[in-house]
Amino acid sequence: MSIRVVVADDQEIVRTGLSMILDAQPGIEVVGRAADGREAVELGRRLRPDVCLFDIRMPVLDGVEATRALAGPEVEDPLAVVVITVFDLDEYVYAALRAGARGFLLKDAGTDLLTRAVHAAAAGEALIAPSVTARLLDAFAGSGPTGPPAQPLQPLTGREEQVLAAVAHGRTNTEIGEEFHIALSTVKTHITSLMAKLGARNRVEIAMWAYETGRVRGRRGR
């Protein structure tokens, strides 16, 4: 079955371009297009696509609020949302991920990264543009915790700590398996265990916990 996608962007040429790129990929079908955030939310709720691809800045309702409406903490059956934007600003990234986005890409990401992000979101994983991931790590490392670090419900094992760091650096399940020489099913078991111990709903929240608690440090001096 094809991955069903809703595309939302206030610029018609961008909507059309993204839709053409995605429709040309095997196993992906664009089932709806929206010109503003409110229309995007309505389409998402009505069509229940596998993935929503939202621009961050849209009229009526912006991409962050549209994401929160479909994938936020209060949503019982959240959709997978990937946010895509020309604005490479940390506050947008953080707001989008906090709102429930499973991915964050820049519009110059290219066809391959865009396609991978859609597949990752549909599979319950997350893909964040590498340059954005590196900067987020630096930002969190420099800001320090705002309060007592949240503690896991149960202590993490050594392997879970390794997987936690890999997830925070944007690695996919396949890449984690190759890095640590473990089966894909074992990676998924570790991810499930991390979500349970951290009270996280998805990989992005695992990564955010790692950032916020200082478990993962930024790579300064690159």
Side-chain angles (χ1 to χ4, degrees), residues 11 59-60 80 129 220:
Q11 296 183 341
V60 185
R220 297 190 182 280

Side-chain angles (χ1 to χ4, degrees), residues 121-164:
E125 299 186 11
L127 194 153
I128 303 172
S131 62
V132 174
T133 302
R135 241 194 15 267
L136 272 180
L137 287 169
D138 278 348
F140 277 101
S143 63
T146 56
Q151 296 301 312
L153 298 177
Q154 299 177 33
L156 304 187
T157 65
R159 180 65 83 190
E160 286 170 350
E161 292 279 6
Q162 293 176 324
V163 173
L164 173 73

